[in-house]
Amino acid sequence: MSSENNDAPYELIYWPGLPGRGEWIRLLFEQAGVPYTDHTKNPELVVPAVLEYISAENTGDATNLPILAPPILKHGDLVIHQLPNILLYLAPRLGLAPSQGSAVFHLNQLVLTLLDGFVNEMHETHHPIAVSLYYEDQKPEAKRRSKYYVEERIPKFLRYVQRVLGSQASGDGPWLYGGELTYADLVLFQCLDGTKYAFPKTIEKLRKSKGSDGKGQYDGVFKLYDEVKSLPNISSYLASERRQPYGDGIFRHYAELEEE
Amino acid sequence: MSSENNDAPYELIYWPGLPGRGEWIRLLFEQAGVPYTDHTKNPELVVPAVLEYISAENTGDATNLPILAPPILKHGDLVIHQLPNILLYLAPRLGLAPSQGSAVFHLNQLVLTLLDGFVNEMHETHHPIAVSLYYEDQKPEAKRRSKYYVEERIPKFLRYVQRVLGSQASGDGPWLYGGELTYADLVLFQCLDGTKYAFPKTIEKLRKSKGSDGKGQYDGVFKLYDEVKSLPNISSYLASERRQPYGDGIFRHYAELEEE
């Protein structure tokens, strides 16, 4: 990409009013302390902008492909979409990942796995039949799917994260990879935070769950969650008005989906 | 990663007996004409190898993270998983994508989008409730989901691909990006080929579908499919015993899911 991008402002273009898939992007900027323009804070302007980007008539420009769906990152003359792709682009530029070597691929695989488990599969819990239907029109299926999500899938992904934390490649300390804070840690934080909103009883139960050795089965996972939450920049962000409450986005709380 | 990887052999480790998620990886090697060891051709060895990689006790090694699920790529001392991540690693090394610049991110976003539409959502058509249940135990839900997939989702993704093909950034000729064959074209080919196996009537209908201008609505998409299929290396591969028939993998043909 052209070198002038280095000094260009970062711009986030996404649906307003919800953390949504934009939240992972915001957390990277917030932790890095790098200024960004969050266009979602201007709903009257950003909604038409998103609609214009995703319109069937919009075929991008000389260098950028058309956009299927937001979040969209604009950085100088570069316009990209797809959440894991935006994170891959941003992380090394914001000092939250190495820019080359095998770490790039190890972190990307970890982030893809976390987003599979806690974003893609989470979305299916309230929309197991069709995105074009209301939740109310797919409620029995949502209930059936959520049962398996809560009982099998969340534990499966948490076990995997715990396995990563116990690996040599994870290094010392609370972080997922190489002994240092990376964007994967921020991604995990938001995955857990959203899941806690959607399925609070489940997360509470898993936090207390003991392994056969009597120790907390997911201690590392929840320690990492707490550590990210108390990072000075993240902690100020979470306390600020920039952090939006959850609602009817990816992470939704329907009490009936979490019945005992 | 260490420089000795440059001369190391490429090894694909995956479940045997099906194209599955391994197929996109095979197509890159086949088109590039680069030798690779496909361990899936030795079921007695590869099944224990996969089980060992994904075992709860396996915490990777000094540099590689543990693996959640195959496909797995081993290249010298590097071991990675997650299909779009493996493709991202391989494509520039196999001459199927630039190794830097904005093209890396434009191609990655396109591949992520194609895999979302034709792998992740496809899997949900036969497993809308739980991966741990048999298809037979989630058939009514599968039928309901497939109806929306066939009527709304496949056309949505094909319209997007057609929009990409009509973009300036796509360049001249049949290919998706920059006027040259890239790994995104191979990815699209396999997405369509698998979808044709799973939902043959739907793909046949969409191939003939006309837009308001009387032209084939998805002409570019299917032209690209035909072009990839007739590339000399791909064509020999498809005719060889190395290409495995579809079965009960991601792409499954259940006639009842495609009733008129």
Side-chain angles (χ1 to χ4, degrees):
Chain A
M1 71 225 72
S2 60
S3 52
E4 67 253 42
N5 270 1
N6 293 332
D7 299 320
Y10 290 104
E11 300 174 62
L12 171 62
I13 298 147
Y14 189 58
W15 301 119
L18 279 173
R21 284 181 170 78
E23 198 59 15
W24 285 270
I25 300 167
R26 291 185 191 100
L27 284 170
L28 266 62
F29 288 123
E30 294 287 345
Q31 172 55 23
V34 168
Y36 64 107
T37 305
D38 187 346
H39 288 291
T40 68
K41 300 305 160 69
N42 288 301
E44 294 102 56
L45 293 175
V46 85
V47 171
V50 170
L51 292 173
E52 163 60 25
Y53 269 117
I54 66 175
S55 144
E57 279 70 49
N58 187 323
T59 54
D61 60 35
T63 55
N64 295 293
L65 289 174
I67 298 291
L68 181 66
I72 301 161
L73 179 79
K74 190 168 175 341
H75 186 211
D77 53 15
L78 181 80
V79 181
I80 55 175
H81 73 129
Q82 270 282 0
L83 176 56
N85 185 54
I86 293 174
L87 299 177
L88 181 74
Y89 176 80
L90 285 177
R93 286 166 178 81
L94 301 179
L96 292 164
S99 63
Q100 50 187 334
S102 56
V104 171
F105 300 96
H106 287 132
L107 287 167
N108 186 46
Q109 81 185 20
L110 192 47
V111 166
L112 286 166
T113 302
L114 293 170
L115 297 178
D116 274 353
F118 296 101
V119 179
N120 302 343
E121 291 200 22
M122 174 63 77
H123 183 267
E124 301 295 333
T125 63
H126 46 79
H127 280 78
I129 300 300
V131 275
S132 65
L133 289 177
Y134 290 111
Y135 162 67
E136 285 70 22
D137 296 325
Q138 47 195 316
K139 226 164 141 176
E141 295 94 342
K143 210 162 162 174
R144 200 172 171 214
R145 176 143 190 161
S146 294
K147 184 177 149 63
Y148 287 96
Y149 185 67
V150 156
E151 289 176 6
E152 297 179 357
R153 304 301 288 172
I154 297 180
K156 182 190 167 89
F157 284 99
L158 292 193
R159 275 196 303 276
Y160 178 66
V161 176
Q162 191 67 34
R163 183 149 75 97
V164 167
L165 287 168
S167 75
Q168 218 183 319
S170 161
D172 294 330
W175 312 123
L176 285 162
Y177 187 75
E180 289 184 37
L181 175 75
T182 67
Y183 77 116
D185 301 305
L186 303 176
V187 169
L188 177 63
F189 166 78
Q190 178 59 17
C191 287
L192 284 175
D193 197 69
T195 304
K196 198 172 87 164
Y197 170 77
F199 295 110
K201 290 183 198 167
T202 302
I203 291 298
E204 199 45 40
K205 200 176 95 184
L206 292 168
R207 205 187 241 272
K208 291 179 190 151
S209 162
K210 305 276 179 213
S212 53
D213 57 1
K215 286 190 209 158
Q217 207 176 348
Y218 308 109
D219 271 1
V221 177
F222 290 105
K223 181 167 168 37
L224 192 157
Y225 173 84
D226 294 339
E227 292 273 348
V228 170
K229 199 170 185 168
S230 60
L231 289 167
N233 286 0
I234 297 296
S235 157
S236 324
Y237 168 64
L238 295 175
S240 76
E241 287 189 355
R242 300 195 299 287
R243 174 76 166 188
Q244 300 165 92
Y246 292 109
D248 281 353
I250 304 155
F251 299 116
R252 302 182 180 198
H253 179 61
Y254 295 121
E256 66 271 22
L257 296 185
E258 204 188 22
E259 274 167 16
E260 300 295 307
Chain B
M1 71 225 73
S2 60
S3 53
E4 66 253 42
N5 269 2
N6 293 332
D7 299 320
Y10 290 104
E11 301 175 62
L12 171 63
I13 298 148
Y14 188 59
W15 302 119
L18 279 172
R21 284 181 169 79
E23 198 58 16
W24 285 268
I25 301 167
R26 291 186 191 99
L27 285 170
L28 265 62
F29 288 122
E30 295 287 346
Q31 172 56 23
V34 169
Y36 64 108
T37 304
D38 188 346
H39 289 290
T40 68
K41 300 306 158 70
N42 289 301
E44 293 101 57
L45 294 176
V46 84
V47 171
V50 170
L51 292 173
E52 164 60 26
Y53 269 116
I54 66 175
S55 144
E57 278 71 48
N58 187 323
T59 54
D61 60 34
T63 54
N64 294 293
L65 289 174
I67 298 290
L68 181 66
I72 300 162
L73 179 79
K74 191 169 175 340
H75 186 211
D77 54 13
L78 182 80
V79 180
I80 54 174
H81 74 128
Q82 270 282 359
L83 176 55
N85 186 52
I86 293 174
L87 300 177
L88 181 73
Y89 176 80
L90 286 177
R93 286 166 179 81
L94 301 178
L96 292 164
S99 64
Q100 49 187 333
S102 57
V104 170
F105 301 95
H106 286 133
L107 287 167
N108 186 46
Q109 81 185 19
L110 193 46
V111 166
L112 287 166
T113 302
L114 293 169
L115 296 178
D116 275 353
F118 296 100
V119 179
N120 301 343
E121 291 200 22
M122 173 64 76
H123 183 267
E124 301 295 333
T125 62
H126 46 79
H127 280 78
I129 299 301
V131 275
S132 64
L133 290 176
Y134 290 112
Y135 162 66
E136 284 70 23
D137 297 324
Q138 48 195 313
K139 226 164 141 176
E141 294 93 343
K143 210 161 164 174
R144 198 171 173 216
R145 176 141 189 162
S146 293
K147 183 177 149 64
Y148 288 96
Y149 185 67
V150 156
E151 290 177 5
E152 296 179 357
R153 303 302 288 173
I154 297 180
K156 182 191 168 88
F157 283 99
L158 292 193
R159 276 195 304 274
Y160 178 66
V161 177
Q162 192 68 36
R163 182 148 77 97
V164 167
L165 287 167
S167 75
Q168 217 184 321
S170 161
D172 294 331
W175 312 123
L176 284 163
Y177 187 74
E180 289 183 38
L181 175 75
T182 67
Y183 77 117
D185 301 305
L186 303 176
V187 169
L188 176 64
F189 166 78
Q190 179 59 18
C191 287
L192 284 175
D193 197 68
T195 304
K196 197 171 91 165
Y197 170 76
F199 296 110
K201 290 184 199 168
T202 303
I203 292 298
E204 199 45 42
K205 200 176 97 186
L206 291 169
R207 206 188 239 275
K208 291 180 190 152
S209 162
K210 304 276 180 215
S212 52
D213 57 1
K215 288 191 207 157
Q217 207 177 347
Y218 307 109
D219 271 1
V221 177
F222 290 104
K223 181 167 168 34
L224 192 158
Y225 173 83
D226 294 340
E227 292 273 349
V228 170
K229 199 170 186 170
S230 61
L231 289 167
N233 286 1
I234 296 296
S235 156
S236 325
Y237 168 64
L238 296 176
S240 77
E241 286 188 355
R242 300 195 300 289
R243 174 77 166 185
Q244 300 164 92
Y246 292 108
D248 281 352
I250 304 155
F251 298 115
R252 303 182 179 199
H253 179 60
Y254 295 121
E256 66 271 20
L257 296 184
E258 204 189 22
E259 275 167 14
E260 300 295 307

